[in-house]
Amino acid sequence: MASFFIYTISISYLLIMLPMFICISDQAFSEDISEAIAMKRMMKTSHLHFYFHDIVSGKNPSAMKVIGTEIMSFGTTFIIDDALTQGQEPTSKIVGRAQGMYAVAAQNDLALLMVINYSFTDGKFNGSSISILGRNHVFDDIREMPIVGGTGLFRFARGYALAHTIWFDIKTGDATVEYNVFVQHF
């Protein structure tokens, strides 16, 4: 009984006193970066032009429906790993992948919520990506979506993407979409 009491007192003492013995450093959760460091990198704007190939049909689709009963009814959600190509033909040189998801987010219209990373695998931006999060009103000729961030050379990216449907097969849901992207980055 006495050893249990001593053990309990010892553990209590350690739990109360331990924080006092831990070395407290001057590291802060956040700190201001001097303007001299921030000014070393200048903001620039890049224009990217590529084609997005969304293939829902066939033996090897790049877009897979994960939620929903009908092809494009409210709530229907797709996970994608679509090719980004230099030209509009699917056989054109692949310059990256569009990976993420889109969902039908309107009850009385066809508007998609796009949550997609465009990862580039070729050229100057190889290994970099941009993130798009926004509304894509499919029946508009030109749709504008915001760029909300990026990685690699697109770190701290912001800008917009203009999407224009080049080809759409109403029977299968397959589509080719032209993208003109204007992105500001360091």
Side-chain angles (χ1 to χ4, degrees):
M1 181 71 160
S3 64
F4 178 74
F5 180 71
I6 292 171
Y7 176 76
T8 304
I9 295 292
S10 299
I11 294 295
S12 299
Y13 179 76
L14 276 175
L15 291 175
I16 293 169
M17 299 303 287
L18 188 61
M20 291 181 198
F21 296 114
I22 294 176
C23 179
I24 299 173
S25 68
D26 323 0
Q27 293 180 351
F29 174 69
S30 68
E31 60 185 80
D32 293 333
I33 298 175
S34 76
E35 286 188 39
I37 294 172
M39 294 304 288
K40 284 184 183 178
R41 298 178 69 189
M42 299 299 290
M43 183 72 77
K44 58 187 140 215
T45 301
S46 295
H47 172 231
L48 307 172
H49 180 253
F50 53 85
Y51 295 84
F52 169 103
H53 299 274
D54 196 42
I55 308 302
V56 180
S57 66
K59 293 180 183 178
N60 192 23
S62 62
M64 187 71 73
K65 182 171 66 169
V66 294
I67 300 170
T69 55
E70 296 178 29
I71 190 73
M72 287 305 228
S73 62
F74 178 67
T76 301
T77 303
F78 290 83
I79 299 294
I80 67 166
D81 184 10
D82 291 338
L84 303 176
T85 63
Q86 195 168 20
Q88 75 181 53
E89 295 302 317
T91 55
S92 181
K93 181 179 179 182
I94 293 177
V95 296
R97 307 293 300 179
Q99 298 168 325
M101 62 185 221
Y102 59 82
V104 180
Q107 292 184 3
N108 301 316
D109 201 358
L110 186 54
L112 304 175
L113 168 63
M114 308 283 284
V115 183
I116 301 176
N117 286 320
Y118 293 76
S119 299
F120 300 100
T121 57
D122 189 63
K124 177 181 178 181
F125 300 115
N126 182 16
S128 299
S129 68
I130 56 174
S131 298
I132 292 181
L133 171 65
R135 183 176 193 265
N136 181 350
H137 189 253
V138 177
F139 292 129
D140 288 350
D141 185 37
I142 306 285
R143 287 95 61 200
E144 182 176 331
M145 292 166 280
I147 295 170
V148 297
T151 65
L153 292 176
F154 294 124
R155 189 174 294 142
F156 294 118
R158 62 183 178 196
Y160 61 96
L162 299 175
H164 169 70
T165 302
I166 298 294
W167 173 79
F168 176 69
D169 185 333
I170 193 121
K171 292 178 185 175
T172 63
D174 296 351
T176 300
V177 180
E178 178 183 27
Y179 272 84
N180 277 290
V181 176
F182 298 88
V183 58
Q184 291 183 328
H185 58 97
F186 289 102

